[in-house]
């Protein structure tokens, strides 16, 4: 697809025609492009508009929760349920806004600074421990000299989604390993869990928005169904690939492969000075 004019999009293909000739086929897809843009704007605007009233509601709810001793027990339970659902809605809105942003901007819009991934991965390990509340064994293997050129916020969001999935889809007592390593050329962020695993038929669809293997279970585990869609977009914007391997009942591995051009090597001294 090439922008010919601001409003015109053409899809151009070269197809074989006879034995030696080729046909240049151009199709006007401006209307598809406009519909896609309207969809994007609509989602972004609705998400944005929902944010403020929800924040107000959550503020009031918090006040009620603070005075909960004054309410009868059934009402106290309802209050905590309402707060949980409001927090979930807030997560969905934030994820939708993030996806609209990732969708709407080209890769050039990402920040391109050297990001201290070793510190980020250690922090994520601590977050995972807090989320797991001691229920899992969480290890990390981190190459301390390995940084990445990219957008710190986006990378944080993508990696955090993979780590929180590992905790949420691994039963208590399971094991989770985070690895930030280099194979000599590119860099690899890997999250391995010994959790419930995923049937092979679902794997190609996991990065679609709102796609979930088991809707009820995912809702129970507090997910939004948007996490892996965010991961996919962030990887695309960093020229990286996401590889998913899994066996039902044994666990899953999510691997993010970054190309050598993204890798920044820091000496230990530089790293200490800048952290
Ligand atoms: P959710 O918010 O529902 O977790 P995601 O986009 O992060 O949404 O993931 C999509 C679906 O992929 C999940 O609903 C779950 O079924 C499956 N999934 C993701 N990560 C894992 C994992 N580590 N182990 C098992 N299933 C997973």
């Amino acid at each position: 697809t090439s922008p010919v004019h601001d409003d015109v999009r053409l899809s151009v293909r070269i197809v074989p025609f006879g034995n030696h000739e080729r046909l240049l086929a151009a199709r006007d897809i401006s209307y598809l492009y406009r519909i896609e843009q309207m969809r994007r704007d609509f989602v972004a605007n609705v998400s944005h508009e929902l944010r403020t009233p929800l924040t107000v509601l959550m503020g009031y709810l918090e006040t009620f929760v603070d005075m909960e001793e004054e309410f009868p027990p059934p009402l106290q339970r309802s209050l905590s349920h309402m707060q949980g659902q409001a927090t979930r809605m807030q997560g969905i809105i934030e994820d939708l806004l993030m996806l609209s942003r990732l969708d709407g901007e080209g890769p050039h819009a990402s920040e391109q600074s050297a990001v201290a991934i070793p510190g980020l991965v250690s922090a994520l390990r601590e977050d995972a421990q807090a989320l797991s509340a001691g229920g899992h064994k969480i290890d990390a293997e981190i190459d301390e000299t390995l940084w990445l050129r990219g957008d710190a916020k986006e990378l944080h969001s993508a990696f955090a989604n993979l780590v929180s999935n590992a905790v949420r889809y691994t039963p208590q007592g399971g094991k989770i390993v985070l690895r930030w390593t280099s194979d000599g050329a590119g860099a690899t962020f890997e999250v391995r869990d010994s959790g419930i695993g995923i049937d092979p038929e679902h794997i190609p669809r996991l990065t679609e928005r709102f796609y979930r293997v088991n809707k009820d279970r995912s809702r129970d585990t507090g997910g939004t169904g948007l996490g892996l869609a965010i991961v996919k977009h962030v990887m695309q914007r960093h020229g990286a690939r996401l590889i998913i391997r899994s066996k039902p009942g044994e666990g899953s591995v999510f691997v993010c492969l970054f190309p050598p051009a993204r890798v920044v090597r820091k000496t230990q001294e530089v790293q200490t000075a800048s952290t």
Side-chain angles (χ1 to χ4, degrees), residues 16 32 50 110 112 118 137-138 189 191 193 207:
L32 283 178
L50 287 175
S110 301
Q112 297 294 328
K137 182 172 177 350
I138 304 172
F189 178 66
V191 182
D193 67 57
T207 55

Side-chain angles (χ1 to χ4, degrees), residues 56-73:
V56 175
L57 280 175
M58 288 181 80
Y60 281 118
L61 264 175
E62 213 168 296
T63 314
F64 287 138
V65 170
D66 285 346
M67 333 163 18
E68 73 179 355
E69 296 89 66
E70 298 175 27
F71 302 121

Side-chain angles (χ1 to χ4, degrees), residues 165-166 168-169 193 196-198 206 211-214 218 223-229 252 254:
N165 279 354
R168 291 186 294 115
Y169 298 107
D193 67 57
I196 60 171
I198 307 155
L206 290 182
Y211 188 85
R212 287 146 151 193
V213 174
N214 178 336
S218 305
T224 63
L226 294 168
L228 290 179
S252 311
F254 288 77

Side-chain angles (χ1 to χ4, degrees), residues 44-120:
N45 291 341
V46 170
S47 313
H48 194 78
E49 289 302 317
L50 287 175
R51 213 187 203 176
T52 313
L54 184 63
T55 309
V56 175
L57 280 175
M58 288 181 80
Y60 281 118
L61 264 175
E62 213 168 296
T63 314
F64 287 138
V65 170
D66 285 346
M67 333 163 18
E68 73 179 355
E69 296 89 66
E70 298 175 27
F71 302 121
L75 198 54
Q76 288 180 16
R77 279 195 295 278
S78 303
L79 271 179
S80 115
H81 195 65
M82 284 162 74
Q83 212 176 22
Q85 292 301 314
T87 306
R88 207 172 101 72
M89 198 191 288
Q90 197 177 37
I92 295 173
I93 290 172
E94 293 306 322
D95 279 358
L96 279 172
L97 280 170
M98 171 106 192
L99 268 175
S100 305
R101 201 174 63 77
L102 294 175
D103 243 4
E105 298 168 349
H108 53 274
S110 301
E111 278 279 330
Q112 297 294 328
S113 51
V115 183
I117 306 287
L120 168 64

